[in-house]
C-alpha cells in the first residue's frame, strides 16, 4: 500500500506527491491522489479533468521514460490554479501529435492540451517534469 501523500496546505509547493512504479497501473493511484487533493482544496469540479490529465501524463511516462519509477506531483500554486506534474528519468521532451482517424495512439497530449489551461515540460538534470495547469474560480 502506498504511503500517505504529503500533508495538505491551502496553497503552496508541493501539495501532494508520490513516487510510483513506472507501470500502467500507476495511473489509477495518480488519479486517486489528484482527486484527494481536489477534495481537500474544495476544487471537486476540477477532479475529472485533472484525473484525465494525470492519466495521460502517467501513460506517456510509462511508455517513454527510463528506470523503474515516476513521481506524480499535484500543487496548488495559487488559490485558483492547480498544477499536475509527472517527473521521470528521460530527457526526451514529449511532442504533441495529430493522429489520423485510424491511429490507435498519439492523442494523449492533444487531450491534455484541450483540458488544461496550459502545459509544458521543464528539463531537469536527470530527466524532465511534464506538467499541466488547471485554472478557474475557487469553489466554496
Amino acid at each position: 500500500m502506498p504511503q500517505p501523500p504529503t500533508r495538505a496546505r491551502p496553497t503552496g509547493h508541493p501539495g501532494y506527491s508520490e513516487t510510483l512504479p513506472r507501470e500502467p497501473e500507476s495511473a489509477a493511484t495518480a488519479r486517486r491522489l489528484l482527486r484527494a487533493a481536489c477534495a481537500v482544496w474544495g476544487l471537486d469540479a476540477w477532479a475529472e479533468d485533472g484525473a484525465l490529465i494525470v492519466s495521460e501524463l502517467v501513460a506517456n511516462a510509462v511508455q517513454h521514460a527510463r528506470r523503474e519509477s515516476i513521481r506524480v506531483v499535484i500543487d496548488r500554486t495559487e488559490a485558483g490554479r492547480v498544477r499536475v506534474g509527472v517527473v521521470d528519468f528521460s530527457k526526451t521532451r514529449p511532442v504533441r501529435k495529430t493522429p489520423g482517424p485510424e491511429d490507435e495512439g498519439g492523442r494523449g497530449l492533444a487531450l491534455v492540451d484541450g483540458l488544461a489551461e496550459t502545459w509544458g515540460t521543464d528539463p531537469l538534470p536527470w530527466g524532465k517534469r511534464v506538467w499541466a495547469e488547471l485554472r478557474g474560480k475557487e469553489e466554496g
Side-chain angles (χ1 to χ4, degrees):
M1 179 160 223
Q3 294 295 315
T6 57
R7 69 182 174 91
R9 298 178 188 163
T11 60
H13 178 84
Y16 290 77
S17 63
E18 192 165 338
T19 299
L20 302 171
R22 189 176 59 90
E23 56 189 39
E25 296 78 13
S26 290
T29 304
R31 286 190 299 271
R32 284 192 296 275
L33 185 68
L34 182 282
R35 287 183 178 118
C38 285
V40 167
W41 294 328
L43 301 172
D44 292 300
W46 298 6
E48 287 310 307
D49 285 353
L52 287 170
I53 288 169
V54 78
S55 292
E56 293 300 333
L57 297 181
V58 167
N60 280 350
V62 166
Q63 183 176 1
H64 300 291
R66 303 182 322 222
R67 301 214 188 153
E68 315 72 46
S69 65
I70 59 174
R71 185 152 188 89
V72 174
V73 180
I74 315 295
D75 294 324
R76 188 173 183 193
T77 56
E78 299 173 6
R81 184 182 303 259
V82 172
R83 180 177 274 208
V84 179
V86 175
V87 178
D88 66 52
F89 290 97
S90 171
K91 291 188 176 193
T92 303
R93 297 172 68 100
V95 176
R96 182 178 175 218
K97 298 176 182 165
T98 306
E102 301 300 316
D103 293 336
E104 291 185 22
R107 290 176 176 76
L109 288 178
L111 178 66
V112 169
D113 191 49
L115 293 173
E117 179 185 55
T118 187
W119 69 277
T121 305
D122 297 331
L124 302 170
W126 38 263
K128 68 179 175 302
R129 177 186 307 108
V130 182
W131 54 267
E133 287 189 350
L134 295 165
R135 185 175 182 169
K137 293 186 346 185
E138 188 173 7
E139 294 181 19

